[in-house]
Amino acid sequence: MNGESFYTKVYEIVKKIPSGKVTSYGRVAIILGNPRSARAVGYALNALKKDNTQEIPWQRVINSKGFISFKGDTFRANLQRKLLEKEGIVFHSDARIDFKIFGWP
DNA sequence: ATCGTGACGAACG
DNA sequence: CCGTTCGCCACGA
């Protein structure tokens, strides 16, 4: 309706994350202009699992602690890790990603 | 319009 | 460091 929906804004930003880099939901929210909508950002990315024909690199968004954020969906979590490793991202032994090295921006 | 939901995050204790 | 609580938000029933 409004020229650009919240979801669209999220996707536009996520598409800018370069391969081999990651950012957090909160970070995307800040770039959006809504610092407090981190939760909604996750909600927006969740909507992609049904139809991601635009090939939005959803895997490049993790939580602020540097971990993959999936509670029950282990299938998605494993897929995300696999995709990221394929891009060259290295996980610590505790499954954490170092923003100092792979963080974007 | 109201309410429950969830791929968040910061603050507590 | 760890679990819990609480605030925030877009969405859909």
Side-chain angles (χ1 to χ4, degrees):
Chain A
M1 293 294 261
N2 357 339
E4 231 179 1
S5 70
F6 179 81
Y7 278 19
T8 302
K9 291 181 182 175
V10 171
Y11 301 153
E12 288 303 309
I13 294 173
V14 173
K15 283 196 291 186
K16 293 178 181 175
I17 307 172
S19 175
K21 295 290 183 179
V22 294
T23 193
S24 66
Y25 301 91
R27 193 70 184 146
V28 173
I30 291 175
I31 297 174
L32 272 184
N34 292 27
R36 284 160 278 171
S37 60
R39 206 166 188 176
V41 169
Y43 199 92
L45 293 182
N46 178 57
L48 291 173
K49 67 183 176 186
K50 293 206 68 175
D51 171 40
N52 185 22
T53 54
Q54 296 182 65
E55 297 185 0
I56 309 292
W58 56 272
Q59 72 273 24
R60 296 172 194 157
V61 185
I62 60 181
N63 66 37
S64 65
K65 302 194 190 307
F67 290 104
I68 284 177
S69 273
F70 275 104
K71 295 179 180 178
D73 197 336
T74 56
F75 173 73
R76 279 276 177 201
N78 292 325
L79 172 60
Q80 182 168 17
R81 174 162 182 151
K82 186 177 179 180
L83 290 172
L84 291 176
E85 291 181 322
K86 192 180 300 180
E87 295 181 2
I89 287 182
V90 179
F91 289 72
H92 279 244
S93 56
D94 63 354
R96 185 169 47 75
I97 295 175
D98 191 345
F99 280 116
K100 297 285 187 183
I101 303 174
F102 307 105
W104 176 88

